Amino acid sequence: MSGVPQRTLLLWCPDWPVLAAEIVDGVPATDPVVVLHANRVIACSERARAEGIRRGLRRREAQGRCPHLTVVDHDPGRDVRAFEPVVAAVEEVVAGVEVIRPGACATAARGPSRYLGGEEAAAERIVEHVAQSCAVESQAGIADGVFAAGLAAREGRIVAPGGTREFLAARPVEALGRPALADLLRRLGVRTLGEFAALPAGDVLARFGFDGALAHRLAGGRDDRPLAVRQPPADLTVTADYDEPVDRVDAAAFAARMLAERLHERLAGYGLACTRLGIEAVTAHGQELHRVWRHDGLLTAAAIADRVRWQLDGWLSGSNGRGGTRPARPTAGIVRLRLVPDGVLAQAGLQPGLWGETGEERERAHRALSRVQGILGPEAVVTAVLGGGRSPADQVRLVPWGDERAPARPGPPPLPPAGAAPGAVSAPVVVPAGGGAGRRAGRGRAVAEPPWPGRIPPPSPAVVLPTPLPADVRDAAGEPVVVSARLAVSAAPARLTVGDGRPAEITGWAGPWPVDERWWAPAEARRRARFQVCLADGAALLLAVEGGQWLVEAIYD
């Protein structure tokens, strides 16, 4: 564990998600552009930074600083697809390239420096070749270890052998890429990597755990692999042959998922976990494709499947960058796919959960759902993911079975009442008809906790209509119920008519809960108010009024 880290050359393409959006979708990277994930900025163009936009800003704050901002959603597949020609261009100069993440790849510096006339000459040659082949600007850095090389690449710097520790000492702890750990270290008075590296390793492990100990090694300029990586036995490689060449991305993605699960099961049988993954493909014309993916932690089955899917997407899409003339798409479909665990570690045993996280039933259900996907397609089986949002439709995102269950918007999902079973939906909470009590109850609960002011209170509705139904709400005298701009209800709702149906008596109601969205963009602004109503037949509905029109948005169980 105390060996000297390998000299590493890392190529870094600044603002890669923005550049990938230009290559794939045609979004001009010279304009103020931001890439959003979970409603926060994860990358921005140079023009956007000049307007004061930084990573981590919320969408509303970023648009407030730059009203003519172009917003692009984060797409990992797009980033990988656009980065594949860059990696291929680097491979034309050096061998043994590892993809760190889209926008960054690394290789051992010793070989290129020896046959290209030194480390500086090798870095210049690679950067120049990428610029000529793909019309992509990049920077190269060389240091001891991948972590230090990544920081050096951001400055286009070559750190002298043995000088990595000194190079890292003055860096802030945020350079570790662990926000929670960096915040804790600053509150403890540790502000630089040098101060963190000076702490005793045993104390760091006891206080911050394994991940903190790994970060401590990085801060000290040591290799980011705490255990020696050994060559895996030959029988760990998994291979799949296809009678019909695979040339569609969706079919290749499904095949990659099945192969990734086989590899993960085989590694688990030996008590091993993968840290570097080799992806090999052979086309019907005999063309051989190869790429190595590197991961800072241990690759799970889902992580393996994602990287194989991204890589196949990059190969089969055939993107050539912005100015390349070299064909990137294979001349025929893929007939053989092979996954090689290029680096493995001993996997520590995990304590099984008490409530069925693992077991035969879960595996049987997983196999059954995967079989259905194999017959009907990956999109045939979806699961709901709860997240943030003001309306029930915004809070639910349907994702295919096996994909990452990430919410579309940040924020805690609605919780069931105390004592309810997980996933249970209780009856709506409404007050008796009569008006005054109902209005007071609604106004008292209209102030939702951030970051979603205007969100309706729990419980959540059971059925969210894909298209709201038009409705008519009238009072006891038969006059239409109107909600003013100051949220004053003209009269207590008494009867509801949905579409061309028969009127139904309203026995209880609560509201209004106002929503005023995107008021800074007149073309996209929406202002409406929501009500919960209970009908005489026992049904409960979520209503919304917008521009004087009543709509039925959801149904309670």
Side-chain angles (χ1 to χ4, degrees), residues 236-313:
L236 290 182
T237 301
V238 294
T239 305
D241 295 318
Y242 309 105
D243 296 334
E244 295 292 334
V246 178
D247 54 3
R248 295 195 344 262
V249 175
D250 55 347
F254 181 73
R257 182 184 303 173
M258 304 299 294
L259 199 61
E261 292 178 356
R262 284 177 49 195
L263 174 61
H264 191 265
E265 292 176 357
R266 184 167 296 184
L267 290 171
Y270 284 91
L272 300 173
C274 182
T275 61
R276 291 194 306 174
L277 176 68
I279 305 173
E280 301 177 359
V282 180
T283 68
H285 292 170
Q287 183 180 3
E288 296 184 359
L289 308 172
H290 177 75
R291 184 72 66 241
V292 177
W293 278 83
R294 181 189 184 101
H295 187 58
D296 289 338
L298 303 179
L299 286 167
T300 62
I304 294 175
D306 285 342
R307 280 152 180 79
V308 178
R309 173 170 55 87
W310 295 341
Q311 188 58 60
L312 292 176
D313 191 7

Side-chain angles (χ1 to χ4, degrees), residues 382-387 392-400 403-409:
V382 296
T383 57
V385 180
L386 297 180
D394 295 337
Q395 296 171 8
V396 179
R397 172 175 176 257
L398 297 178
V399 299
D403 287 1
E404 181 183 3
R405 293 174 52 82
R409 296 174 176 84

Side-chain angles (χ1 to χ4, degrees), residues 107-204:
T107 185
R110 181 185 179 188
S113 64
R114 296 183 66 180
Y115 64 78
L116 291 177
E119 294 179 342
E120 183 176 356
E124 292 177 354
R125 173 71 179 275
I126 293 175
V127 170
E128 181 181 0
H129 186 72
V130 169
Q132 293 177 350
S133 301
C134 307
V136 172
E137 294 183 0
S138 59
Q139 297 179 191
I142 300 178
D144 299 335
V146 176
F147 173 68
L151 297 180
R154 294 179 178 272
E155 302 177 3
R157 179 174 175 180
I158 299 177
V159 181
T164 298
R165 187 182 182 93
E166 181 180 356
F167 168 73
L168 296 174
R171 306 282 165 175
V173 291
E174 286 78 10
L176 292 170
R178 293 164 169 83
L181 177 61
D183 180 68
L184 179 57
L185 289 174
R186 282 198 170 273
R187 285 189 279 117
L188 294 175
V190 180
R191 294 177 174 80
T192 65
L193 297 183
E195 295 174 351
F196 185 39
L199 299 177
D203 294 344
V204 172

